[in-house]
Amino acid sequence: MTEASRVWPRPVGMLKFVLMSLFTMGLYGVYWFYWNWRRQREMENPAIKAGWRAFFSPFTAWLLFRDVHADARAKATWSPRLLAVLYFIMSMAFLIPGPQWVLTILSFITLMPVQHSINQMHAQDGEAIDTRITLANIAAMIGGVLLMLLLYAAGQMLDEVMRFYFPSQG
């Protein structure tokens, strides 16, 4: 396979994608966007700022989805606009008071059709799909779970402090 014919999006096995997304509490999505944008920069457009596009992924996702969808090898049957809107809403759900913050962690679900199409592109070009779960992946998943537990504990402690200093008047 020549360099010019290589597929730029990053191939990742779906099981690895789901596990990393869930157990890093959604942070894997930023990593996923970074590597996809970086590969596109290396393969097609040196002007792309992968880090910025990954950081602002709720606002730039449509660009990536559009580019993957446009590649005939992707055989994409999903709508780039619809997935981008859903990704934006789910990514920003943490801003809404209440249990809707969970949608932010689950925003990776909107990336799954895109990753499936990316994997199809790579399968056609004979490039291997990354299905290995490495020690670094396991460490990231453990770190994500620990971070979520720490944030949960901090929230519980803050609730107790607020109840102590501002007891309800009811």
Side-chain angles (χ1 to χ4, degrees):
M1 170 172 44
T2 66
E3 187 67 23
S5 70
R6 283 188 58 206
V7 181
W8 61 262
R10 187 167 183 270
V12 179
M14 293 306 286
L15 178 62
K16 178 178 182 175
F17 180 82
V18 170
L19 290 174
M20 290 299 295
S21 297
L22 276 175
F23 287 103
T24 62
M25 306 305 149
L27 293 176
Y28 182 73
V30 176
Y31 175 83
W32 182 85
F33 273 105
Y34 173 77
W35 281 102
N36 278 303
W37 284 122
R38 183 172 165 183
R39 264 185 95 155
Q40 186 176 20
R41 178 184 68 205
E42 291 168 359
M43 300 295 292
E44 296 181 4
N45 185 351
I48 289 175
K49 306 290 187 222
W52 286 111
R53 286 197 181 186
F55 183 76
F56 290 108
S57 63
F59 304 98
T60 63
W62 180 77
L63 298 170
L64 180 70
F65 298 171
R66 175 199 64 193
D67 292 349
V68 171
H69 189 271
D71 192 309
R73 296 171 296 180
K75 297 180 182 170
T77 57
W78 40 267
S79 164
R81 285 191 178 120
L82 176 61
L83 285 183
V85 168
L86 290 173
Y87 179 73
F88 179 83
I89 291 168
M90 292 178 80
S91 295
M92 296 294 147
F94 74 94
L95 296 171
I96 304 168
Q100 295 84 350
W101 63 267
V102 172
L103 290 175
T104 300
I105 293 173
L106 298 177
S107 64
F108 76 90
I109 293 169
T110 61
L111 305 178
M112 291 174 69
V114 180
Q115 185 62 55
H116 178 72
S117 292
I118 289 170
N119 290 348
Q120 284 187 334
M121 293 163 68
H122 286 279
Q124 285 185 14
D125 282 8
E127 189 174 349
I129 296 172
D130 179 13
T131 59
R132 290 183 317 118
I133 296 179
T134 65
L135 286 176
N137 297 142
I138 293 169
M141 288 188 278
I142 291 170
V145 170
L146 291 176
L147 175 63
M148 185 53 84
L149 291 173
L150 178 66
L151 291 173
Y152 177 77
Q156 294 300 310
M157 290 177 7
L158 182 59
D159 282 349
E160 289 300 316
V161 168
M162 295 302 285
R163 277 195 284 269
F164 179 79
Y165 286 108
F166 303 103
S168 83
Q169 301 296 322

